[in-house]
Amino acid sequence: MTLRRASQPKGSNPGFSTGGRPAGTCGTGGALRECTPMGTTKGIESPALIPDVRREPRKTGILPSQEIWELVNDRKIISFDPIEEGQVQPASIDLRLGKIAYRVQASFLPSNASTVEAKIQDLKLAEYDLTKPTLLERDAVFIIPVVEQLALPFDIGGAANPKSTTGRLDIFTRLVTEGGRQFEEQDLQFEQVPKGYKGRLYAEVVSRTFPIILQAGAKLTQLRFVRGKPPAATDNALERFEETEGLVYFENGDAPAKAVLRGGLRMSVDLAGSGPGSVVAYKARRNCPAVDLSKAGAHDAEQFWDSIAAPASRRLVLDPSDFYILASRERISVPSNWAAEMTQFDPSIGEFSVHYAGFFDPGFGYGSSGEIKGTKAVLEVRAHEVPILLEDSQVVGRLMYHKMASVPDKLYGQAIGSSYQQQGLALSKQFRVAPAAGKPAKA
């Protein structure tokens, strides 16, 4: 039996819905019982004591949208504010920020010896009321309780990442759970939300380039759920996949290009563009006005960004501590039964970081049946302590493919508000009219 999300009447709370069951009933494993309005049983034993006799065995992998709705309907994702339709993406759920932001002295690792709340109180410098638009300073560390809470089954954990818009604004976010023992790893094999986790979630937020205006309900982070421990696709599996579907296209998109597969799909940077004078990068300006995250197209891009034209040398030096937006040379494709994640090409190098927002949904650069011939990946790049030279076609990251538990009932770009389905080099949606090409960069 496969449960589907019930349509919700206006004003109802999907967090307490009966998940596609007849009105007035609830159940676990197909056993239907009369329920009170809040979903509690009436005159019958606890749902936990009723055997799950009808549910089909579940496949391992990343949970698709319809199974995320099951978690909502079964109160494994808990929210006293209704889960919004647009929160559930093909392979993730957008988490909403709560009403209070705590400015703290430093980022921290919670432990079993101390709760997150205790750490907040110990390190708190100030409290900010997010029920109204609030300015958050750049480079300040904030801990913000998330609206959604979790009561996950024993075999389901999760991994979080900034949303695409969050990464393009150079806003660092990290999901914090009770008892967490390490900072997030950029790989789904390392779960930030342990299997069977029950408790609150918190978002650490640090805007590294721009001051930002933020309000409760803002969605900066997305959370994927994973059943079991599915391995990432091997290179051999991706080779077979490439033969049948096509993973990579170049600019014209007419025919698949040969994918470079070594520990995942290798991704390179485009510094040639479409020819001389074309924009190949944006560099964030210093000391800019605040960016209001709630307002799409409200900010003149020229106030915030310098454009960089394709250099004749096809080389670009990244200045230390500056933030750049670039694009991949490849146009990548993520078919509907897979999800992908961008990771560092070699994390041990350490001189620069690439792609804060690393999740790619099923259907990205693919559509429903392969009608879209790839989409460029936008790369958020920051050099650290020393200048870094990038050259055209230099490998800067790799794309790891992970199997979905099943095909989502909606795909990236299919009327779900996807902002970047057929993007080239693109700024975040808060900016209007990207700046024209400036002077070619010097190597």
Side-chain angles (χ1 to χ4, degrees), residues 3 15 17 21 27 55 69-77:
L3 299 177
S17 73
R21 309 178 184 98
R55 176 163 286 178
W69 276 117
E70 286 184 29
L71 295 178
V72 173
N73 295 333
D74 292 341
R75 296 200 65 206
K76 306 303 181 186
I77 303 173

Side-chain angles (χ1 to χ4, degrees), residues 109-172:
L109 286 174
S111 67
N112 291 330
S114 176
T115 66
V116 176
E117 291 289 346
K119 286 282 191 180
I120 290 173
Q121 294 305 316
D122 183 43
L123 298 172
K124 183 175 67 173
L125 297 174
E127 293 184 17
Y128 290 66
D129 179 7
L130 296 185
T131 61
K132 54 188 177 182
T134 301
L135 176 68
L136 303 189
E137 305 93 327
R138 54 173 289 188
D139 290 328
V141 181
F142 294 89
I143 303 295
I144 306 175
V146 171
V147 172
E148 292 73 27
Q149 302 180 40
L150 299 177
L152 295 178
F154 74 95
D155 59 342
I156 294 177
N161 228 317
K163 289 173 59 64
S164 294
T165 294
T166 309
R168 294 181 201 208
L169 289 168
D170 197 21
I171 301 171
F172 170 82

Side-chain angles (χ1 to χ4, degrees), residues 406-419:
S406 59
V407 175
D409 62 2
K410 63 180 182 179
L411 297 174
Y412 189 90
Q414 291 185 330
I416 63 170
S418 305
S419 300

